Amino acid sequence: MFKDRFKKELKTTIKLAVPIIIAQLGVVLMGVTDNVMVGRLLGKVPLGASGIANSIAFLISSLAVGGMSVVAPMVSKYYAEKDSSGLKELYVSTLWVTGIFSVVLTGMGYVAYANFQWFQQPDIINQTSSDFLWILILSNIPLYFFISLKQFSDGLSKAKIAMVITTFGLGFNIIVNYFLITGTAWWAPMGLLGAAYATFLTRILMAVLLFVYFKYSKSFSHYFSHLSFTFNKGLVSEILKRSIPGGSQFFFEIAAFSFAVIMMGWISETALAAHQIAINIASTTYMMATGISFAGGIRVGEAWGQRSPKGIRTAGYASYFLVLAFMGISMMLILLFDNALLGFYIDDQEVITAALPLLAIAAFFQLSDGFQVVGLGVLRGLSDIKIPTIITFVAYWCVALPLGYFLGFKFGFKAQGIWWGLLVGLSLSGVFLYARFNNLTSSAALRRRFVTGAK
Protein backbone atom coordinates (compact mmCIF):
# COMPACT_ATOMS: atom_id res chain seq x y z
CA MET A 1 0.00 0.00 0.00
CA PHE A 2 2.76 2.43 0.98
CA LYS A 3 4.79 1.52 -2.13
CA ASP A 4 1.83 2.33 -4.39
CA ARG A 5 1.19 5.62 -2.61
CA PHE A 6 4.90 6.48 -2.76
CA LYS A 7 5.12 5.70 -6.49
CA LYS A 8 2.05 7.86 -7.15
CA GLU A 9 3.57 10.71 -5.13
CA LEU A 10 6.84 10.40 -7.03
CA LYS A 11 5.01 10.75 -10.34
CA THR A 12 2.98 13.74 -9.11
CA THR A 13 6.06 15.47 -7.69
CA ILE A 14 8.05 14.85 -10.88
CA LYS A 15 5.21 16.23 -13.00
CA LEU A 16 5.12 19.37 -10.87
CA ALA A 17 8.89 19.63 -10.42
CA VAL A 18 9.99 19.32 -14.07
CA PRO A 19 8.59 22.66 -15.30
CA ILE A 20 9.75 24.33 -12.08
CA ILE A 21 13.22 22.87 -12.58
CA ILE A 22 13.34 24.04 -16.19
CA ALA A 23 12.26 27.52 -15.10
CA GLN A 24 14.88 27.52 -12.30
CA LEU A 25 17.48 26.25 -14.75
CA GLY A 26 16.54 29.00 -17.19
CA VAL A 27 17.12 31.66 -14.53
CA VAL A 28 20.52 30.29 -13.51
CA LEU A 29 21.54 29.64 -17.12
CA MET A 30 21.24 33.37 -17.73
CA GLY A 31 24.08 33.76 -15.26
CA VAL A 32 25.93 30.86 -16.87
CA THR A 33 25.63 32.32 -20.37
CA ASP A 34 26.73 35.72 -19.04
CA ASN A 35 29.85 34.12 -17.55
CA VAL A 36 30.57 31.99 -20.62
CA MET A 37 30.21 34.94 -22.99
CA VAL A 38 32.19 37.31 -20.76
CA GLY A 39 34.94 34.71 -20.28
CA ARG A 40 35.11 33.82 -23.96
CA LEU A 41 34.72 37.32 -25.41
CA LEU A 42 36.50 39.44 -22.79
CA GLY A 43 38.87 37.23 -20.73
CA LYS A 44 39.55 36.26 -17.12
CA VAL A 45 39.68 39.72 -15.50
CA PRO A 46 36.19 40.75 -16.73
CA LEU A 47 35.01 37.23 -15.77
CA GLY A 48 36.28 37.75 -12.24
CA ALA A 49 34.75 41.24 -12.13
CA SER A 50 31.35 40.01 -13.29
CA GLY A 51 31.63 37.08 -10.87
CA ILE A 52 31.98 39.20 -7.75
CA ALA A 53 29.31 41.69 -8.92
CA ASN A 54 26.90 38.83 -9.66
CA SER A 55 27.63 37.29 -6.27
CA ILE A 56 26.89 40.53 -4.40
CA ALA A 57 23.72 41.25 -6.43
CA PHE A 58 22.49 37.68 -5.99
CA LEU A 59 23.24 37.85 -2.28
CA ILE A 60 21.06 40.92 -1.88
CA SER A 61 18.31 39.47 -4.07
CA SER A 62 18.34 36.21 -2.09
CA LEU A 63 16.34 37.85 0.71
CA ALA A 64 13.44 38.37 -1.71
CA VAL A 65 13.96 35.34 -3.98
CA GLY A 66 14.16 32.98 -1.00
CA GLY A 67 11.58 34.92 0.98
CA MET A 68 8.88 34.89 -1.67
CA SER A 69 9.21 31.11 -2.04
CA VAL A 70 7.04 30.80 1.10
CA VAL A 71 4.09 32.01 -0.98
CA ALA A 72 3.72 28.90 -3.20
CA PRO A 73 2.91 26.56 -0.25
CA MET A 74 0.40 29.15 0.98
CA VAL A 75 -1.18 29.16 -2.49
CA SER A 76 -1.39 25.36 -2.60
CA LYS A 77 -2.98 25.31 0.86
CA TYR A 78 -5.64 27.90 -0.13
CA TYR A 79 -6.23 25.96 -3.35
CA ALA A 80 -6.70 22.66 -1.47
CA GLU A 81 -9.21 24.44 0.79
CA LYS A 82 -11.00 25.89 -2.32
CA ASP A 83 -10.63 29.44 -0.96
CA SER A 84 -10.75 31.62 -4.12
CA SER A 85 -11.22 34.90 -2.26
CA GLY A 86 -8.23 34.04 -0.08
CA LEU A 87 -6.14 33.46 -3.21
CA LYS A 88 -7.07 36.89 -4.58
CA GLU A 89 -6.16 38.61 -1.34
CA LEU A 90 -2.92 36.65 -1.18
CA TYR A 91 -2.04 37.72 -4.74
CA VAL A 92 -2.53 41.42 -4.02
CA SER A 93 -0.72 41.24 -0.70
CA THR A 94 2.19 39.42 -2.35
CA LEU A 95 2.57 42.29 -4.82
CA TRP A 96 2.63 44.76 -1.91
CA VAL A 97 5.31 42.72 -0.15
CA THR A 98 7.33 42.54 -3.38
CA GLY A 99 7.21 46.33 -3.62
CA ILE A 100 8.50 46.60 -0.04
CA PHE A 101 11.35 44.21 -0.81
CA SER A 102 12.19 46.18 -3.98
CA VAL A 103 12.58 49.47 -2.13
CA VAL A 104 14.54 48.08 0.83
CA LEU A 105 16.87 45.81 -1.14
CA THR A 106 17.60 48.39 -3.85
CA GLY A 107 18.66 50.74 -1.05
CA MET A 108 20.97 48.05 0.31
CA GLY A 109 22.35 47.52 -3.19
CA TYR A 110 23.11 51.20 -3.60
CA VAL A 111 25.13 51.15 -0.38
CA ALA A 112 27.18 48.20 -1.72
CA TYR A 113 27.68 49.98 -5.07
CA ALA A 114 28.72 53.28 -3.49
CA ASN A 115 31.17 51.55 -1.14
CA PHE A 116 32.56 48.82 -3.36
CA GLN A 117 36.03 49.29 -1.86
CA TRP A 118 34.71 47.55 1.27
CA PHE A 119 35.18 44.23 -0.52
CA GLN A 120 38.98 44.72 -0.73
CA GLN A 121 39.36 43.43 -4.27
CA PRO A 122 42.33 44.03 -6.61
CA ASP A 123 42.34 47.49 -8.22
CA ILE A 124 41.64 46.10 -11.68
CA ILE A 125 38.48 44.39 -10.35
CA ASN A 126 37.33 47.54 -8.50
CA GLN A 127 37.59 49.56 -11.71
CA THR A 128 35.09 47.42 -13.61
CA SER A 129 32.80 45.74 -11.07
CA SER A 130 30.96 48.60 -9.35
CA ASP A 131 28.99 49.93 -12.36
CA PHE A 132 28.19 46.37 -13.42
CA LEU A 133 26.88 45.74 -9.90
CA TRP A 134 24.55 48.77 -9.91
CA ILE A 135 22.88 47.71 -13.17
CA LEU A 136 22.34 44.23 -11.73
CA ILE A 137 20.86 45.72 -8.54
CA LEU A 138 18.29 47.62 -10.63
CA SER A 139 17.58 44.50 -12.71
CA ASN A 140 16.67 42.69 -9.48
CA ILE A 141 13.43 44.71 -9.21
CA PRO A 142 11.68 43.05 -12.20
CA LEU A 143 13.19 39.74 -11.05
CA TYR A 144 11.43 40.10 -7.66
CA PHE A 145 8.07 40.61 -9.36
CA PHE A 146 8.63 37.69 -11.73
CA ILE A 147 9.53 35.38 -8.84
CA SER A 148 6.49 36.55 -6.85
CA LEU A 149 4.08 35.99 -9.75
CA LYS A 150 5.69 32.62 -10.43
CA GLN A 151 4.70 31.46 -6.93
CA PHE A 152 1.05 31.47 -8.00
CA SER A 153 1.48 29.47 -11.17
CA ASP A 154 3.64 26.98 -9.23
CA GLY A 155 1.30 26.84 -6.23
CA LEU A 156 -1.68 26.15 -8.50
CA SER A 157 0.32 23.32 -10.15
CA LYS A 158 0.44 25.22 -13.44
CA ALA A 159 4.19 25.74 -13.62
CA LYS A 160 4.54 25.36 -17.40
CA ILE A 161 3.82 29.00 -18.22
CA ALA A 162 6.74 30.24 -16.10
CA MET A 163 8.88 27.55 -17.72
CA VAL A 164 8.00 28.77 -21.22
CA ILE A 165 8.61 32.42 -20.35
CA THR A 166 11.94 31.65 -18.69
CA THR A 167 13.09 29.57 -21.67
CA PHE A 168 12.15 32.40 -24.03
CA GLY A 169 13.95 34.86 -21.74
CA LEU A 170 17.10 32.74 -21.84
CA GLY A 171 17.20 32.83 -25.65
CA PHE A 172 16.51 36.57 -25.63
CA ASN A 173 19.30 37.12 -23.09
CA ILE A 174 21.87 35.23 -25.18
CA ILE A 175 21.11 37.25 -28.32
CA VAL A 176 21.03 40.64 -26.57
CA ASN A 177 24.15 39.72 -24.59
CA TYR A 178 26.16 39.12 -27.74
CA PHE A 179 25.10 42.28 -29.53
CA LEU A 180 25.53 44.56 -26.51
CA ILE A 181 28.95 43.12 -25.58
CA THR A 182 30.41 43.14 -29.12
CA GLY A 183 28.45 46.03 -30.66
CA THR A 184 26.89 46.40 -34.10
CA ALA A 185 26.92 48.89 -36.96
CA TRP A 186 24.48 51.04 -34.95
CA TRP A 187 26.23 51.18 -31.54
CA ALA A 188 29.70 50.73 -30.11
CA PRO A 189 30.69 47.63 -28.10
CA MET A 190 29.65 47.97 -24.47
CA GLY A 191 31.93 45.20 -23.20
CA LEU A 192 31.23 43.97 -19.68
CA LEU A 193 28.38 46.42 -19.06
CA GLY A 194 26.57 45.02 -22.09
CA ALA A 195 26.03 41.74 -20.22
CA ALA A 196 24.46 43.63 -17.29
CA TYR A 197 22.09 45.61 -19.53
CA ALA A 198 21.06 42.41 -21.31
CA THR A 199 20.11 40.89 -17.94
CA PHE A 200 18.10 44.02 -17.04
CA LEU A 201 16.12 43.97 -20.30
CA THR A 202 15.48 40.23 -20.09
CA ARG A 203 14.10 40.41 -16.55
CA ILE A 204 11.75 43.25 -17.43
CA LEU A 205 10.43 41.27 -20.39
CA MET A 206 9.87 38.13 -18.29
CA ALA A 207 7.96 39.96 -15.54
CA VAL A 208 5.73 41.76 -18.04
CA LEU A 209 4.93 38.57 -19.98
CA LEU A 210 3.91 36.66 -16.84
CA PHE A 211 1.78 39.54 -15.54
CA VAL A 212 -0.03 39.85 -18.89
CA TYR A 213 -0.62 36.09 -19.00
CA PHE A 214 -2.17 36.11 -15.53
CA LYS A 215 -4.45 38.99 -16.43
CA TYR A 216 -5.78 37.65 -19.74
CA SER A 217 -5.39 33.84 -19.68
CA LYS A 218 -8.55 31.79 -19.13
CA SER A 219 -6.56 29.50 -16.81
CA PHE A 220 -5.91 32.34 -14.34
CA SER A 221 -8.32 35.19 -15.05
CA HIS A 222 -11.00 33.90 -12.63
CA TYR A 223 -8.41 34.11 -9.84
CA PHE A 224 -6.82 37.42 -10.80
CA SER A 225 -9.61 39.54 -12.31
CA HIS A 226 -11.64 42.24 -10.51
CA LEU A 227 -8.97 42.65 -7.87
CA SER A 228 -8.96 45.22 -5.10
CA PHE A 229 -5.48 46.53 -4.38
CA THR A 230 -6.40 47.58 -0.88
CA PHE A 231 -3.51 47.18 1.56
CA ASN A 232 -4.40 44.19 3.75
CA LYS A 233 -2.21 44.89 6.78
CA GLY A 234 -2.84 41.49 8.40
CA LEU A 235 -2.01 39.40 5.34
CA VAL A 236 0.95 41.56 4.34
CA SER A 237 2.30 41.17 7.87
CA GLU A 238 1.75 37.39 7.70
CA ILE A 239 3.67 37.12 4.42
CA LEU A 240 6.49 39.28 5.80
CA LYS A 241 6.57 37.23 9.00
CA ARG A 242 7.16 34.11 6.88
CA SER A 243 9.22 35.58 4.05
CA ILE A 244 11.82 37.43 6.12
CA PRO A 245 13.07 34.32 7.93
CA GLY A 246 12.47 32.31 4.74
CA GLY A 247 14.65 34.75 2.82
CA SER A 248 17.20 34.65 5.62
CA GLN A 249 17.59 30.89 5.09
CA PHE A 250 18.52 31.50 1.47
CA PHE A 251 20.59 34.56 2.41
CA PHE A 252 22.77 32.73 4.92
CA GLU A 253 23.73 30.11 2.34
CA ILE A 254 24.22 32.54 -0.55
CA ALA A 255 26.09 34.93 1.76
CA ALA A 256 28.49 32.16 2.70
CA PHE A 257 29.27 31.50 -0.95
CA SER A 258 29.44 35.23 -1.72
CA PHE A 259 31.90 35.78 1.11
CA ALA A 260 33.87 32.84 -0.27
CA VAL A 261 34.10 34.82 -3.54
CA ILE A 262 35.50 37.78 -1.61
CA MET A 263 38.08 35.55 0.09
CA MET A 264 39.07 34.18 -3.32
CA GLY A 265 39.83 37.75 -4.39
CA TRP A 266 42.26 37.95 -1.47
CA ILE A 267 44.22 35.08 -3.05
CA SER A 268 44.48 36.14 -6.73
CA GLU A 269 42.56 37.04 -9.88
CA THR A 270 43.16 33.47 -11.12
CA ALA A 271 41.68 31.95 -7.97
CA LEU A 272 38.70 34.30 -8.29
CA ALA A 273 38.04 33.30 -11.91
CA ALA A 274 38.51 29.59 -11.09
CA HIS A 275 36.10 29.80 -8.18
CA GLN A 276 33.56 31.67 -10.32
CA ILE A 277 33.51 28.92 -12.94
CA ALA A 278 33.30 26.09 -10.41
CA ILE A 279 30.57 27.77 -8.36
CA ASN A 280 28.64 28.56 -11.53
CA ILE A 281 28.57 24.87 -12.46
CA ALA A 282 27.55 23.89 -8.92
CA SER A 283 24.89 26.63 -8.89
CA THR A 284 23.31 25.16 -12.01
CA THR A 285 22.63 21.81 -10.34
CA TYR A 286 21.66 23.57 -7.10
CA MET A 287 19.00 25.69 -8.79
CA MET A 288 17.60 22.56 -10.40
CA ALA A 289 17.50 20.94 -6.95
CA THR A 290 15.55 23.97 -5.71
CA GLY A 291 12.90 23.07 -8.28
CA ILE A 292 12.44 19.74 -6.51
CA SER A 293 12.50 21.60 -3.19
CA PHE A 294 9.76 24.02 -4.29
CA ALA A 295 7.67 21.15 -5.66
CA GLY A 296 8.10 19.28 -2.38
CA GLY A 297 7.02 22.33 -0.39
CA ILE A 298 3.94 22.74 -2.57
CA ARG A 299 2.99 19.07 -2.22
CA VAL A 300 3.50 19.16 1.56
CA GLY A 301 1.45 22.38 1.75
CA GLU A 302 -1.35 20.79 -0.24
CA ALA A 303 -1.35 17.71 2.01
CA TRP A 304 -1.39 20.05 5.00
CA GLY A 305 -4.47 21.80 3.58
CA GLN A 306 -6.11 18.37 3.24
CA ARG A 307 -5.10 17.48 6.85
CA SER A 308 -3.38 14.29 5.65
CA PRO A 309 -0.48 13.10 7.88
CA LYS A 310 0.39 10.26 5.49
CA GLY A 311 0.29 12.66 2.56
CA ILE A 312 2.68 15.06 4.31
CA ARG A 313 5.28 12.40 5.07
CA THR A 314 4.99 10.75 1.67
CA ALA A 315 5.41 14.08 -0.14
CA GLY A 316 8.48 14.91 1.95
CA TYR A 317 10.19 11.54 1.46
CA ALA A 318 9.43 11.53 -2.26
CA SER A 319 11.20 14.89 -2.58
CA TYR A 320 14.22 13.60 -0.67
CA PHE A 321 14.39 10.52 -2.89
CA LEU A 322 14.20 12.56 -6.11
CA VAL A 323 16.84 15.10 -5.11
CA LEU A 324 19.32 12.44 -3.97
CA ALA A 325 18.87 10.57 -7.25
CA PHE A 326 19.31 13.73 -9.32
CA MET A 327 22.29 15.11 -7.38
CA GLY A 328 23.96 11.69 -7.40
CA ILE A 329 23.84 11.69 -11.20
CA SER A 330 25.11 15.30 -11.24
CA MET A 331 28.06 14.31 -9.05
CA MET A 332 29.08 11.55 -11.45
CA LEU A 333 28.75 13.79 -14.52
CA ILE A 334 30.89 16.54 -12.97
CA LEU A 335 33.62 14.04 -12.07
CA LEU A 336 33.56 12.46 -15.53
CA PHE A 337 33.47 15.64 -17.61
CA ASP A 338 35.35 18.13 -15.41
CA ASN A 339 37.86 19.25 -18.07
CA ALA A 340 35.21 19.58 -20.76
CA LEU A 341 32.99 21.67 -18.46
CA LEU A 342 35.82 24.02 -17.54
CA GLY A 343 36.97 24.34 -21.14
CA PHE A 344 33.47 25.43 -22.09
CA TYR A 345 33.90 28.54 -19.91
CA ILE A 346 37.41 29.75 -20.69
CA ASP A 347 40.49 28.94 -22.74
CA ASP A 348 43.06 29.73 -20.04
CA GLN A 349 45.06 26.77 -18.76
CA GLU A 350 46.10 28.55 -15.56
CA VAL A 351 42.45 29.11 -14.60
CA ILE A 352 41.44 25.57 -15.60
CA THR A 353 44.24 24.05 -13.50
CA ALA A 354 43.15 26.11 -10.48
CA ALA A 355 39.48 25.21 -11.00
CA LEU A 356 39.88 21.41 -11.33
CA PRO A 357 40.29 20.61 -7.59
CA LEU A 358 37.49 23.04 -6.72
CA LEU A 359 35.15 21.32 -9.15
CA ALA A 360 36.03 17.92 -7.63
CA ILE A 361 34.96 19.19 -4.19
CA ALA A 362 31.81 20.69 -5.74
CA ALA A 363 30.98 17.27 -7.16
CA PHE A 364 31.05 15.69 -3.72
CA PHE A 365 28.87 18.32 -2.10
CA GLN A 366 26.11 17.80 -4.65
CA LEU A 367 24.41 15.31 -2.32
CA SER A 368 24.72 17.55 0.74
CA ASP A 369 23.48 20.58 -1.21
CA GLY A 370 20.43 18.75 -2.55
CA PHE A 371 19.65 17.20 0.83
CA GLN A 372 19.64 20.54 2.65
CA VAL A 373 17.67 22.50 0.04
CA VAL A 374 14.88 19.89 0.00
CA GLY A 375 14.87 19.98 3.79
CA LEU A 376 14.18 23.71 3.65
CA GLY A 377 11.45 23.18 1.04
CA VAL A 378 9.45 20.48 2.81
CA LEU A 379 9.68 22.33 6.14
CA ARG A 380 8.47 25.49 4.38
CA GLY A 381 5.42 23.48 3.31
CA LEU A 382 4.71 22.99 7.03
CA SER A 383 5.25 26.73 7.63
CA ASP A 384 8.24 25.78 9.77
CA ILE A 385 10.69 28.58 9.07
CA LYS A 386 12.31 29.97 12.24
CA ILE A 387 14.21 26.87 13.41
CA PRO A 388 15.49 26.03 9.89
CA THR A 389 16.72 29.63 9.66
CA ILE A 390 18.76 29.14 12.85
CA ILE A 391 20.11 25.84 11.49
CA THR A 392 21.30 27.46 8.26
CA PHE A 393 22.88 30.38 10.11
CA VAL A 394 24.86 28.11 12.43
CA ALA A 395 25.88 25.72 9.63
CA TYR A 396 27.22 28.41 7.31
CA TRP A 397 28.35 31.28 9.50
CA CYS A 398 29.49 29.43 12.62
CA VAL A 399 30.97 26.40 10.86
CA ALA A 400 31.48 26.70 7.07
CA LEU A 401 33.08 30.15 6.79
CA PRO A 402 35.32 30.03 9.88
CA LEU A 403 36.48 26.53 8.95
CA GLY A 404 37.06 27.58 5.33
CA TYR A 405 39.05 30.63 6.46
CA PHE A 406 41.29 28.61 8.76
CA LEU A 407 41.83 25.82 6.23
CA GLY A 408 42.43 28.30 3.42
CA PHE A 409 44.62 30.94 5.07
CA LYS A 410 45.96 29.52 8.33
CA PHE A 411 46.65 25.97 7.14
CA GLY A 412 47.70 26.97 3.62
CA PHE A 413 45.10 25.08 1.58
CA LYS A 414 44.00 28.37 -0.03
CA ALA A 415 41.03 28.00 -2.42
CA GLN A 416 40.54 24.30 -1.70
CA GLY A 417 40.40 24.96 2.04
CA ILE A 418 37.60 27.47 1.57
CA TRP A 419 35.61 24.90 -0.42
CA TRP A 420 36.14 22.13 2.16
CA GLY A 421 34.66 24.45 4.77
CA LEU A 422 31.60 25.02 2.59
CA LEU A 423 31.17 21.27 2.14
CA VAL A 424 31.13 20.67 5.90
CA GLY A 425 28.53 23.44 6.40
CA LEU A 426 26.25 22.03 3.69
CA SER A 427 26.44 18.55 5.19
CA LEU A 428 25.59 19.69 8.72
CA SER A 429 22.67 21.75 7.48
CA GLY A 430 21.25 18.80 5.52
CA VAL A 431 21.46 16.39 8.47
CA PHE A 432 19.79 18.72 10.97
CA LEU A 433 17.01 19.78 8.58
CA TYR A 434 16.18 16.14 7.86
CA ALA A 435 16.01 15.42 11.61
CA ARG A 436 13.70 18.41 12.01
CA PHE A 437 11.32 17.15 9.29
CA ASN A 438 11.22 13.67 10.83
CA ASN A 439 10.40 15.13 14.24
CA LEU A 440 7.64 17.46 13.02
CA THR A 441 5.93 14.83 10.87
CA SER A 442 5.65 12.15 13.52
CA SER A 443 2.04 11.10 14.08
CA ALA A 444 1.86 12.70 17.53
CA ALA A 445 3.38 16.00 16.36
CA LEU A 446 1.01 16.30 13.39
CA ARG A 447 -2.02 15.51 15.54
CA ARG A 448 -1.05 18.33 17.91
CA ARG A 449 -0.64 20.77 15.02
CA PHE A 450 -3.99 19.80 13.47
CA VAL A 451 -5.78 20.16 16.81
CA THR A 452 -4.21 23.52 17.65
CA GLY A 453 -4.66 24.79 14.08
CA ALA A 454 -0.98 25.74 13.83
CA LYS A 455 -0.10 27.39 10.56
Side-chain angles (χ1 to χ4, degrees):
M1 182 69 177
F2 174 77
K3 287 184 178 179
D4 292 338
R5 186 167 65 246
F6 188 74
K7 288 180 182 178
K8 183 178 179 182
E9 182 61 38
L10 279 177
K11 291 179 181 178
T12 304
T13 304
I14 290 171
K15 184 178 179 181
L16 175 59
V18 167
I20 297 177
I21 288 171
I22 293 173
Q24 292 292 112
L25 184 60
V27 171
V28 76
L29 280 178
M30 289 181 196
V32 172
T33 54
D34 284 352
N35 283 309
V36 169
M37 296 180 80
V38 167
R40 282 284 178 179
L41 297 174
L42 301 175
K44 73 177 182 181
V45 172
L47 176 62
S50 68
I52 191 165
N54 269 300
S55 295
I56 295 167
F58 189 44
L59 172 62
I60 293 169
S61 73
S62 67
L63 289 165
V65 173
M68 298 316 297
S69 65
V70 304
V71 173
M74 296 173 71
V75 171
S76 64
K77 182 174 179 291
Y78 277 120
Y79 182 66
E81 295 170 344
K82 305 186 186 305
D83 187 355
S84 296
S85 62
L87 280 171
K88 289 188 176 186
E89 290 182 356
L90 180 61
Y91 178 73
V92 172
S93 296
T94 298
L95 293 179
W96 277 107
V97 170
T98 306
I100 293 170
F101 272 121
S102 297
V103 172
V104 173
L105 297 183
T106 302
M108 290 173 58
Y110 180 78
V111 172
Y113 156 73
N115 299 278
F116 196 82
Q117 71 277 5
W118 288 350
F119 304 108
Q120 300 179 29
Q121 297 301 296
D123 289 340
I124 194 167
I125 298 295
N126 287 333
Q127 291 168 13
T128 52
S129 279
S130 58
D131 290 340
F132 188 90
L133 172 63
W134 179 237
I135 299 167
L136 290 183
I137 293 295
L138 294 177
S139 78
N140 280 342
I141 297 174
L143 175 66
Y144 300 151
F145 280 94
F146 176 78
I147 294 295
S148 297
L149 294 172
K150 182 177 176 293
Q151 299 307 303
F152 284 83
S153 58
D154 291 350
L156 294 170
S157 298
K158 297 180 184 294
K160 289 183 180 179
I161 178 58
M163 176 191 74
V164 172
I165 290 174
T166 304
T167 304
F168 174 77
L170 175 61
F172 179 83
N173 185 65
I174 292 171
I175 294 169
V176 177
N177 236 337
Y178 179 79
F179 285 110
L180 290 184
I181 290 173
T182 61
T184 70
W186 295 279
W187 62 77
M190 299 179 71
L192 182 60
L193 293 183
Y197 282 116
T199 299
F200 196 178
L201 293 172
T202 301
R203 289 175 172 177
I204 291 173
L205 177 65
M206 289 167 58
V208 169
L209 287 176
L210 189 53
F211 179 80
V212 170
Y213 187 87
F214 274 7
K215 187 172 178 61
Y216 297 106
S217 168
K218 292 180 180 179
S219 300
F220 291 95
S221 59
H222 58 289
Y223 292 117
F224 306 125
S225 60
H226 305 100
L227 297 171
S228 170
F229 284 86
T230 304
F231 188 86
N232 185 328
K233 183 179 179 181
L235 191 50
V236 167
S237 298
E238 178 64 25
I239 297 171
L240 285 171
K241 189 168 78 171
R242 297 187 187 198
S243 62
I244 291 174
S248 298
Q249 296 170 356
F250 201 29
F251 175 84
F252 292 142
E253 180 178 358
I254 300 304
F257 282 93
S258 295
F259 195 77
V261 174
I262 294 170
M263 287 195 287
M264 291 294 175
W266 298 345
I267 299 172
S268 69
E269 292 92 340
T270 298
L272 183 61
H275 172 84
Q276 179 58 25
I277 295 172
I279 201 65
N280 212 244
I281 293 169
S283 296
T284 302
T285 57
Y286 171 77
M287 292 303 287
M288 295 173 73
T290 62
I292 299 173
S293 173
F294 291 157
I298 291 166
R299 292 295 299 158
V300 168
E302 188 173 339
W304 175 257
Q306 296 168 347
R307 296 296 190 268
S308 171
K310 289 182 179 178
I312 290 171
R313 287 181 72 86
T314 304
Y317 290 140
S319 299
Y320 272 114
F321 178 86
L322 287 173
V323 83
L324 288 176
F326 170 75
M327 295 303 259
I329 293 170
S330 298
M331 178 182 70
M332 296 304 298
L333 290 175
I334 289 173
L335 290 173
L336 287 171
F337 300 105
D338 50 359
N339 270 295
L341 289 169
L342 294 173
F344 181 65
Y345 278 82
I346 197 167
D347 186 17
D348 186 315
Q349 192 55 48
E350 185 182 11
V351 174
I352 291 173
T353 300
L356 274 170
L358 305 186
L359 196 58
I361 299 170
F364 285 105
F365 77 50
Q366 294 296 296
L367 296 176
S368 299
D369 210 6
F371 206 63
Q372 65 88 29
V373 75
V374 161
L376 291 173
V378 295
L379 288 170
R380 195 176 294 126
L382 292 171
S383 299
D384 182 54
I385 300 169
K386 291 182 181 178
I387 298 299
T389 301
I390 295 171
I391 290 172
T392 55
F393 175 78
V394 172
Y396 293 115
W397 286 89
C398 299
V399 177
L401 285 178
L403 180 60
Y405 176 80
F406 277 100
L407 290 175
F409 295 96
K410 300 300 182 182
F411 290 90
F413 291 102
K414 296 186 178 179
Q416 293 180 53
I418 295 170
W419 275 65
W420 281 117
L422 294 172
L423 172 59
V424 172
L426 283 168
S427 301
L428 287 176
S429 178
V431 168
F432 282 104
L433 290 170
Y434 179 74
R436 176 72 176 170
F437 177 75
N438 262 338
N439 181 53
L440 287 183
T441 57
S442 68
S443 298
L446 285 174
R447 279 197 299 270
R448 286 195 301 271
R449 288 169 70 86
F450 288 150
V451 170
T452 58
K455 293 182 178 181

